[in-house]
Amino acid sequence: MSEYYFEMAYKEAKKGYRLNEVPVGAVIVKNDRIISKAHNKRIKNNLVLSHAEVLCILKANKKLKDWRLNNCDLYVTLKPCEMCAKIINESRIRNVYYMLTKNEDSNTYSKTKYSEKCSNNIKIKLKKLMKNFFKNIR
């Protein structure tokens, strides 16, 4: 059955290719049924978040009326990037199956610098706020 899901992901990748997008396609499956599929649309949507995996997750969330995608599997044509991997983990997808790994020679973009620059006073207030929030929902 997984070959069929990979074939559907490949068809999505071809749609992206026709739009001059990086040809990545994704399919989410639950209980042996495809619940969503998508392809890259970063250029079309002019939106950095429009990776196939993210769009596929958003469609599945809408269809299931839940942000949690427990018991769902993702089939994707290319191993997810770091951004998508984090979103996939947060969505609680059970398994990710991919066809190819990104070429190691390809350029990676890391022009953003991260640094922690905040006073201890506001950090303490934020820690308390976070602690109270999670205490109240559990």
Side-chain angles (χ1 to χ4, degrees), residues 103-114:
N103 184 349
E104 297 301 321
D105 295 334
S106 63
N107 293 331
T108 56
Y109 305 99
S110 64
K111 297 179 187 216
T112 304
K113 293 182 177 120
Y114 292 86

Side-chain angles (χ1 to χ4, degrees), residues 4 7 12 15 22 24 32 51 56 59 62 66 74 92 97 107 114-115 117 127 129-130:
Y4 172 74
E7 187 64 37
E12 285 297 313
K15 289 178 186 177
V22 176
V24 177
D32 295 323
H51 287 214
C56 201
K59 287 179 180 181
K62 189 173 182 177
D66 196 346
L74 173 67
R92 301 182 180 171
Y97 304 105
N107 293 331
Y114 292 86
S115 55
K117 289 191 172 189
K127 284 180 181 179
L129 182 69
M130 296 293 278

Side-chain angles (χ1 to χ4, degrees), residues 73-99:
D73 296 324
L74 173 67
Y75 292 81
V76 63
T77 56
L78 189 65
K79 184 178 179 181
C81 70
E82 287 183 44
M83 175 188 73
C84 290
K86 296 280 187 191
I87 294 168
I88 290 163
N89 288 340
E90 286 293 321
S91 71
R92 301 182 180 171
I93 286 176
R94 178 178 51 192
N95 296 301
V96 176
Y97 304 105
Y98 58 90
M99 296 166 71

